[in-house]
Amino acid sequence: MTWSPEAGRTPDGLSLALAQAVVSAVDAVGGYAGGVYLRTRTPDLLMLAVLAGLPGPLLRPWSRMHVNRPFPVAEAYRSGHPVYLGDAEETMRRFPQLMAGLPFPFGSLCVPVVGGTTPLGVLVVLRYATRGVPVGGADRRRMEELAERLGEELAALERDGHPVEWEGEPRLLRLPSDTARPLRVGRFEWDVDSGAVTADEEAHAILGHGSTASAVHTMEAMTAGLLPDDVYGLWALGHRAARSAEPRVRRMRLWGPDSRPLVVELTGRGENGHRVAGLLLDPGAEPVVPEAADRVPRGMLSLDRTGRITYVNRRAEQILEHPRAELAGRILWEALPWLANPAYEDHHRAALFSDAPVYFLARRNPKQWLSVAMFPGRDGVTVTVIRSGRPGHTPDPATQAGAGSGKPADRSAVLYRPVALAIALTEAVTARQVSAVVTEELLPAFGGRQLAIYLQHERRLHMAWETGFPPGFLDRFDGVGLDAHIPGVETLTTGRPLFFESMEQLAEAYPGIPLDTDVGARAFLPLIASGRPVGSCILGFDQPRGFSPEERTALTALAGLIAQALQRAQRYDTEAALARGLQDALLPHRLPVVDQVDTVGRYLSGTQDIEIGGDWYDVVETGSGLALVIGDVQGHGVAAAATMGQLRSAVRAFALTGHEPQEIMSATNQLLIGLDPGQFASCCYVLLDPATGTVRAVRAGHPQPVLRHPDGRTEVLDLAGGVVLGVDPDASYPVTELRLGHGAVLALFTDGLVEKAGTDIDEGIERLRSTLADTGRLSLAETADRVIARAGLDDDRPDDIALLLAARRDPSC
């Protein structure tokens, strides 16, 4: 399911179950934030479905989690065992890559959620570090009990036909918290199962219903003026209160329609576990606290844990040059866009993840610097701001102590990028993926507009990637030798980066060099890994600019990371080529030429790894007719390829010795069980008489073939079948008989052709059927190319594809 604030405000059953589990888990172990990762329709990919206690944008880099990544969530899901981390030292020892991106002292508890025996996701709670004290047994038991209960609820949803999967952004959830003395009180009764609600006049007035109050009868209408994450949290709290075994008051903060903070208190009625009594509290202006804060000679703001500004004192209004009415109730970095900087985001994360104050300098505009301090707590963050006389100087001793060297914030952003780029490069496998990561991470960090990457091969530089340059401008440099007097070559041969603050400087240093523009700056970086030259990288800028010492250092360090990633990618490409060559050797190089029947085969390797697949096809001339065979061995790698080769040889041998189709399938099944009880394979065997068109087919767990009739009508066949090969030694494989007319085309394929992440397999089969129906006038080879082309365009295809087409030809043509 995909959710957005516009997609619906009332939580569905899956969202509600996740929300209640998160709220309960955070409360049970004293956490300050939590969430649930769920599986997706993409194999081996988890998605953050619910997030409580932290701003969603600050956690976006970690919202998608591949199960093979070296992170606690992935390990918990992959291994089926909880991962408990008490502090930063333990996290650094076990998961250094996590600490590279989140270098803050915090503890985490990750417990797998399992429905029956099926892994569904991971329940996560974050809390302050216990500093050398491991997670206690009581907290472990509470987490595991809640994860087990959530697994049971999710399994029940699946049994009722509701898939437990997540796609898209996480739902944000506000956690319950304590509040101050109320001044206005409204009351309501709520049936959480039906959503029906009755409220008194004061509750309607607090929520701003006015003349529409008489028409408000549901909780959805009652909360129409509230923020989506507040509504979501309220539903979760209501269900929790309704099902509580004891009459405990549960409380949370809300934002009213006029951006004033409100408080709601819920108590279960104990009537069949579905009715809740509610109090809506409006604390009012609370004049004493603002009056005291306004006397403080520094700006003060209060943020909740989602990043929303809850209070602004008078001095902050003056420093930030925004009135309270413009700031209160808004997200910090949306209200103050100059804070939307990677370095400042990292400081905000530090305040939210740990319990220690955070100090830093921020540049509001080219002439104004602010000393910022963040003081975190379980329910939010208090922020103080004062003007700084100049970069590197802070008049406040506390800020001076915490700010370290007091370097400008843009320099911090530069130093932040190597970590972000290093994390992103670990996901890149091919040279193209590495180049794409550099484009997405490096250019925005330094304000660049052009990028070119050249790789060295046999003492020449060949272009691997370019973006932003005029079309064709860089072609003249492709294949240039290492003796050429140009900066892209000399940066590699000398190992020194070259920086030109303007195109005039570049032209003076290299007279006669072609220039793509009259203005701008250039940086030429050597790509050297482990002392070996890999290539060179060119960064281009639209305007002249200087390069500070920090920027030069950071760019040089980034070039080393890029070189290592490209060197790894080159090894991958070499190994992939060898693997594909071996795969090609296992498939038939030429199909037999037979009277009255044309056959065409196609094979497409998966693109996500270099391991060999187990897909195969074959065409065998037998004494009984023409055998069309297609199969798919489970998994990838040498074992799958070896098994595939053995099965192909076995089927061919059985067919040539005159066995019947059902005998061939049964014998192949027995062979696979004898070879390796741990592997299985699907297969479809079709015996066609070219003269009469008679077909006898058997199927072992394989996708149904698609048949295009001579009149163009195309259908998915319904062949009887048995279980996949390698599972049941007593399995039987019934034979289905049909007839192919002259001009009919039969398509056999493996599931990689019709399966695609995020879509139902039936959509892929329908796409194949429709494509085959539209190829009536094409040759069989052209038909095969068109059918397979769509899958071939997917750059991140996890599975191999095999396709075998057979067309019965009219002998008179």
Side-chain angles (χ1 to χ4, degrees), residues 52-410:
L54 289 172
L58 294 189
L59 267 291
R60 185 169 288 118
W62 298 271
S63 62
R64 295 166 57 89
M65 185 70 62
H66 194 281
V67 299
N68 291 325
R69 293 184 71 183
F71 286 87
V73 169
E75 179 168 310
Y77 183 88
R78 186 175 63 247
S79 68
H81 299 291
V83 176
Y84 298 113
L85 303 169
D87 55 24
E89 288 74 16
E90 186 176 6
T91 305
M92 176 61 78
R93 185 177 68 254
R94 296 182 58 185
F95 301 97
Q97 190 171 345
L98 175 64
M99 292 304 294
L102 297 171
F104 320 120
F106 67 97
S108 59
L109 298 82
C110 303
V111 182
V113 177
V114 180
T117 59
T118 303
L120 300 175
V122 180
L123 178 63
V124 183
V125 170
L126 304 181
R127 66 183 190 181
Y128 295 130
T130 52
R131 293 176 174 81
V133 180
V135 178
D139 287 341
R140 295 175 182 234
R141 286 192 297 274
R142 295 187 190 104
M143 284 290 296
E144 289 165 23
E145 288 171 1
L146 289 168
E148 182 179 0
R149 189 183 310 162
L150 176 59
E152 293 171 353
E153 293 183 36
L154 299 185
L157 286 173
E158 285 229 309
R159 288 194 297 271
D160 292 339
H162 304 289
V164 178
E165 295 173 339
W166 198 269
E167 304 289 336
E169 297 295 318
R171 280 199 168 186
L172 303 182
L173 170 67
R174 191 180 302 280
L175 290 170
S177 63
D178 295 329
T179 189
R181 175 177 58 87
L183 295 182
R184 299 172 65 194
V185 181
R187 292 175 171 79
F188 60 92
E189 292 278 342
W190 177 18
D191 186 322
V192 297
D193 288 343
S194 67
V197 66
T198 57
D200 64 12
E201 293 182 3
E202 193 71 18
H204 287 301
I206 292 172
L207 292 175
H209 295 156
S211 60
T212 64
S214 60
V216 177
H217 303 295
T218 66
M219 182 54 70
E220 187 168 8
M222 183 88 169
T223 58
L226 302 181
L227 296 170
D229 47 336
D230 285 350
V231 176
Y232 188 34
L234 183 61
W235 276 87
L237 189 66
H239 277 259
R240 192 177 178 208
R243 297 171 182 173
S244 176
E246 54 190 43
R248 177 184 171 188
V249 176
R250 301 182 186 274
R251 181 180 299 158
M252 69 178 290
R253 283 196 176 98
L254 303 171
W255 280 99
D258 54 355
S259 297
R260 289 196 332 276
L262 305 176
V263 178
V264 65
E265 291 185 351
L266 300 179
T267 307
R269 285 294 197 190
E271 300 172 5
N272 300 322
H274 59 83
R275 295 193 64 81
V276 171
L279 291 179
L280 188 62
L281 314 174
D282 181 1
E286 296 182 332
V288 176
V289 174
E291 183 179 342
D294 283 341
R295 298 191 189 107
V296 177
R298 67 179 59 196
M300 292 183 61
L301 302 90
S302 181
L303 311 177
D304 66 15
R305 293 199 64 87
T306 67
R308 198 174 299 278
I309 302 170
T310 59
Y311 175 74
V312 182
N313 77 343
R314 185 174 299 136
R315 184 59 176 156
E317 287 184 293
Q318 297 169 353
I319 293 174
L320 301 175
E321 299 179 6
H322 287 283
R324 301 180 193 184
E326 287 186 10
L327 297 176
R330 298 182 65 189
I331 298 296
L332 177 66
W333 48 88
E334 294 176 356
L336 304 173
W338 47 272
L339 280 174
N341 176 295
Y344 305 152
E345 290 177 0
D346 208 41
H347 292 310
H348 194 180
R349 271 192 289 265
L352 290 170
F353 273 79
S354 70
D355 56 354
V358 175
Y359 306 91
F360 61 95
L361 278 173
R363 186 171 65 177
R364 184 173 178 272
N365 57 49
K367 296 183 179 180
Q368 186 182 42
W369 293 82
L370 302 179
S371 293
V372 182
M374 290 185 163
F375 302 92
R378 188 181 184 277
D379 292 332
V381 179
T382 297
V383 182
T384 66
V385 292
I386 59 175
R387 290 192 177 99
S388 178
R390 63 181 185 275
H393 171 71
T394 55
D396 182 0
T399 306
Q400 179 68 35
S405 62
K407 293 179 180 179
D410 60 348

Side-chain angles (χ1 to χ4, degrees), residues 629-646:
V629 189
I630 197 160
D632 185 0
V633 177
Q634 173 208 21
H636 293 79
V638 175
T643 301
M644 178 268 279
Q646 291 171 307

Side-chain angles (χ1 to χ4, degrees), residues 631-673:
D632 185 0
V633 177
Q634 173 208 21
H636 293 79
V638 175
T643 301
M644 178 268 279
Q646 291 171 307
L647 293 185
R648 177 180 172 239
S649 298
V651 171
R652 173 174 282 270
F654 292 143
L656 290 172
T657 53
H659 287 77
E660 292 296 312
Q662 68 270 30
E663 295 174 342
I664 292 174
M665 200 63 73
S666 296
T668 306
N669 178 48
Q670 294 285 350
L671 173 67
L672 181 56
I673 291 174

Side-chain angles (χ1 to χ4, degrees), residues 358-494:
V358 175
Y359 306 91
F360 61 95
L361 278 173
R363 186 171 65 177
R364 184 173 178 272
N365 57 49
K367 296 183 179 180
Q368 186 182 42
W369 293 82
L370 302 179
S371 293
V372 182
M374 290 185 163
F375 302 92
R378 188 181 184 277
D379 292 332
V381 179
T382 297
V383 182
T384 66
V385 292
I386 59 175
R387 290 192 177 99
S388 178
R390 63 181 185 275
H393 171 71
T394 55
D396 182 0
T399 306
Q400 179 68 35
S405 62
K407 293 179 180 179
D410 60 348
R411 298 181 183 179
S412 299
V414 169
L415 299 178
Y416 169 84
R417 280 296 169 177
V419 174
L421 182 60
I423 293 173
L425 286 175
T426 61
E427 302 289 325
V429 176
T430 67
R432 185 176 183 83
Q433 291 172 344
V434 171
S435 302
V437 166
V438 175
T439 302
E440 294 168 2
E441 292 287 343
L442 197 63
L443 288 184
F446 295 91
R449 292 293 180 268
Q450 296 91 28
L451 171 71
I453 293 178
Y454 288 85
L455 297 180
Q456 190 265 144
H457 179 66
E458 295 182 350
R459 296 193 57 77
R460 291 186 176 276
L461 285 179
H462 299 275
M463 184 188 299
W465 179 275
E466 65 95 6
T467 182
F469 287 92
F473 173 76
L474 295 178
D475 291 349
R476 70 198 74 193
F477 302 110
D478 193 13
V480 68
L482 294 188
D483 55 351
H485 180 59
I486 57 175
V489 170
E490 294 192 359
T491 189
L492 179 62
T493 56
T494 64

